[in-house]
Amino acid sequence: MTGIHRASGGALAQSVRIVEVGPRDGLQNEKGIVPLAAKLALIEGLVAAGLQTIEAGSFVAPRWVPQMAGTDRVVAHFRAGAGVEMPVLVPNLRGLELAKAAGARTVAVFAAATESFARANLNASRQDSLARFADVAAGARAYGMRVRGYVSCAVHCPYEGWVEPGVAAELAASLADMGCYEVSMCDTTGAASPGRAEAMAKAAITAIPMEQVAVHFHDTFGQALVNTLTCLELGVSVVDSSVSGLGGCPYSPGAAGNLATEDLVYMLEGLGIATGIDLDALAAAGRQISDVLGRRPASRAALALAARGPANAPRKDHLSN
Ligand code: HMG
Ligand code: MG
C-alpha cells in the first residue's frame, strides 16, 4: 500500500479503518446506567458520522458489568443494519447464544496476555479462557458469524507490569488461528509510550499478517495518539477509538478512556488519510453522549471545534498536511 511519507520515514496507508468502541468500551465502566434510548442515539449519531464498524456492547455476565445488560436490545434495534458492522463482546458459549439470538453477526473474543488479568477479567486461567474462546470462535463460525479478537495487556498489565511483546504476539497468533479476521492489540492500562508501542506492534505484525492487526490504546498518560501514529508508520491501518475519549475497563483500575475518535480523525485528515468520517457530525455525537453523562468530552479536537464554533471553523481543505 502506498501513502504519504513523513520525515520519520514511515509510509502511511492511504486509508485507515476506525473501529469505534465507544458504546462498549466507552460506556462499560460508567457507574450510572445509561438509558437504552441514549445508547441507541449514540450509535445512530456514530452511523450518521460515517463510522463503518461500531462495537455495540457485550454479552457478558450482568453481575460483572451491569452497564452492558440490555445489549440484546441494542443489537436487535440495529438488526436490519445500515451496512454497518457491529461486533459485540462474548466471553463464553452462553454469550454467543445470546448474541446470536439478538441478531449479532460479528462477535469479539477478548483474551489476556497475562494470567492475572485473565483471572480478574474472566474468572479463568489464561489457558482455560483461551480454550473457551476457541469454542466460541468455532461456534460463531459455524453460525456464519465473523469473529474479532482482542489481546488485552499487550504492553502492560495492571497486576503484573510490563509484558514481553513476544508473549502478546504469540497470543495474537493463537487468536488468528482460531479464525479471528482481525486481532486488536490493546494497551489496556494506557501505560505505553511510542517505544513500547512500536515493539508491541512490530512483534504483532511478525506473528500475523499486517492487515489483520488493529491497535487499541487507552490514554492514561496522554500517549494514545502518538502511539497510534507510531503503529500507523509501521503499516497498521486499523485503529480502535472511542468517541469523546470515553472508556475504561472495570478490571484495569486507574486506566483512562480510549483514544478519542475525534482526535484520531483530526490527525488522519491532517495527514491526508481517508476515513470517510464527518468530523463535525462525530463531534456532535460525542457532545450528545457527554451531556448524558454530565461531563465535557475528553477529546481535545472536540473541545477545540466547539470553542471555535461553526462560523470560525477552519475550512477542511486548510487542514491537510
Ligand atoms: P463467572 O462468574 O465465572 O461465570 O464469570 P459463571 O459461568 O459462574 O456464571 C455466573 C453467572 O453469570 C450465572 O448467572 C451465569 O448464567 C451468568 P446466575 O446463574 O448466577 O444467575 N453468565 C452470563 N450471563 C449473561 N451472559 C453471559 C454469561 N456468562 C455467565 N455471557 C464470566 C465468568 C466470563 C461470565 C465473567 O467473568 C464475565 O462476564 N467477564 C466479562 C468482564 C468484562 O466484560 N470486562 C470488560 C471487557 S474487556 C475490556 O474492557 C478490555 C478490552 O477493551 C481491550 C483492552 O483494552 O484491553 C476488550
Ligand atoms: Mg479497552
Side-chain angles (χ1 to χ4, degrees):
M1 222 179 292
T2 56
I4 289 180
H5 289 261
R6 294 177 65 248
S8 62
L12 300 171
Q14 283 176 330
S15 68
V16 164
R17 186 162 61 80
I18 297 177
V19 176
E20 168 62 48
V21 295
R24 195 278 305 170
D25 208 351
L27 296 183
Q28 69 182 8
N29 210 23
E30 290 295 329
K31 297 288 168 271
I33 298 298
V34 177
L36 175 66
K39 290 180 180 172
L40 300 182
L42 169 61
I43 294 177
E44 273 156 11
L46 295 167
V47 171
L51 268 311
Q52 288 296 305
T53 310
I54 304 170
E55 201 169 64
S58 309
F59 287 90
V60 297
R63 251 196 276 154
W64 282 65
V65 187
Q67 185 66 255
M68 291 292 107
T71 292
D72 54 340
R73 282 176 290 164
V74 175
V75 171
H77 181 86
F78 292 102
R79 194 175 186 145
V84 172
E85 180 150 44
M86 291 193 184
V88 287
L89 253 56
V90 161
N92 51 19
L93 287 172
R94 178 158 162 67
L96 175 64
E97 293 306 322
L98 293 170
K100 180 172 183 296
R105 296 193 194 98
T106 305
V107 295
V109 294
F110 46 112
T114 63
E115 187 64 30
S116 310
F117 196 77
R119 289 184 186 275
N121 201 37
L122 296 160
N123 200 25
S125 70
R126 192 178 179 277
Q127 199 180 350
D128 288 351
S129 57
L130 210 54
R132 267 191 217 162
F133 287 137
D135 291 344
V136 169
R141 285 186 299 123
Y143 285 144
M145 298 161 104
R146 277 161 50 88
V147 186
R148 190 170 198 256
Y150 281 104
V151 173
S152 285
C153 305
V155 181
H156 181 262
C157 170
Y159 312 106
E160 296 184 23
W162 298 112
V163 171
E164 278 300 317
V167 170
E170 200 181 316
L171 183 54
S174 300
L175 292 171
D177 288 345
M178 283 178 204
C180 293
Y181 65 90
E182 183 170 289
V183 180
S184 180
M185 304 299 291
C186 305
D187 179 20
T188 309
T189 63
S193 48
R196 300 247 184 209
E198 180 176 337
M200 178 274 284
K202 276 186 171 163
I205 63 187
T206 307
I208 63 174
M210 174 77 84
E211 57 275 14
Q212 279 181 264
V213 177
V215 290
H216 176 120
F217 288 103
H218 286 261
D219 201 32
T220 318
F221 286 87
Q223 306 288 298
L225 194 59
V226 69
N227 287 338
T228 300
L229 180 58
T230 300
C231 297
L232 295 177
E233 287 177 337
L234 294 172
V236 172
S237 63
V238 185
V239 180
D240 297 358
S241 61
S242 172
V243 69
S244 215
L246 299 172
C249 173
Y251 302 99
S252 178
N258 293 74
L259 168 64
T261 311
E262 297 93 318
D263 296 1
L264 175 63
V265 170
Y266 184 84
M267 179 183 79
L268 294 173
E269 279 186 2
L271 289 165
I273 297 174
T275 62
I277 292 166
D278 177 337
L279 182 54
D280 292 325
L282 175 66
R287 279 196 300 278
Q288 197 177 5
I289 188 66
S290 298
D291 286 348
V292 170
L293 299 173
R295 73 173 71 113
R296 282 178 5 134
S299 159
R300 298 288 294 272
L303 292 174
L305 289 171
R308 278 176 178 161
N312 300 321
R315 279 175 31 206
K316 283 196 173 149
D317 56 347
H318 288 176
L319 295 177
S320 291
N321 298 314

